[in-house]
Amino acid sequence: MLALFLLILSSFSESIGAVMGSLISSIGVMVSFYYGMTGLACAYYYRKVLFTDRKTLFMKGIWPVGSAIFLLILAALQIPSLGWSVSLFTLGAIAIGCLPMVYFRRKYSSSFYFEPAESYDPPSIGGVRPLERV
């Protein structure tokens, strides 16, 4: 399938090197987008314990969100330089990734989609939570 796509794409381009460079840049944009989403999800998951101390705030809040913002800006700045066909392919591939998510959400109406969002809850050791002041 990939070979067929490369063959079709190479007919519109001057060289295979240009095609491969565009595809690698396209994959880089997609990776930046998904790692950016992961950084935001990390901070959201630890939202209840972010302000317990400075290290937690930095390592589980500021650093992932800062990295996510950087990666999302990097992806957004890269898209115009790819050209219209590669940009369309990149954005289409990201959008196509949402289709299975919507399909399976409607097909399997599990409690995962209707319960409150999960967050980190530190375990208690000997009845005292590690982050509590005694």
Side-chain angles (χ1 to χ4, degrees), residues 1-123:
M1 183 72 174
L2 180 62
L4 179 63
F5 177 73
L6 287 174
L7 178 68
I8 292 170
L9 196 59
S10 67
S11 66
F12 295 112
S13 181
E14 305 85 39
S15 70
I16 295 294
V19 170
M20 292 305 291
S22 296
L23 286 175
I24 290 169
S25 296
S26 174
I27 291 169
V29 169
M30 288 186 262
V31 167
S32 294
F33 174 77
Y34 289 118
Y35 271 129
M37 294 291 104
T38 303
L40 295 176
C42 174
Y44 185 74
Y45 180 76
Y46 289 107
R47 68 190 179 278
K48 290 185 179 178
V49 295
L50 282 179
F51 298 104
T52 55
D53 63 349
R54 287 182 289 200
K55 181 181 177 185
T56 302
L57 177 64
F58 183 75
M59 295 303 289
K60 296 178 182 176
I62 295 172
W63 188 262
V65 170
S67 299
I69 291 169
F70 174 76
L71 286 169
L72 292 172
I73 289 172
L74 190 68
L77 292 176
Q78 182 69 23
I79 287 176
S81 68
L82 295 176
W84 70 270
S85 62
V86 179
S87 295
L88 187 64
F89 170 75
T90 304
L91 296 175
I94 291 172
I96 287 173
C98 295
L99 293 176
M101 179 184 66
V102 171
Y103 171 75
F104 285 110
R105 180 175 182 166
R106 294 196 186 267
K107 183 175 180 183
Y108 304 110
S109 58
S110 72
S111 61
F112 174 80
Y113 298 108
F114 304 110
E115 291 180 356
E118 184 178 313
S119 65
Y120 179 72
D121 189 25

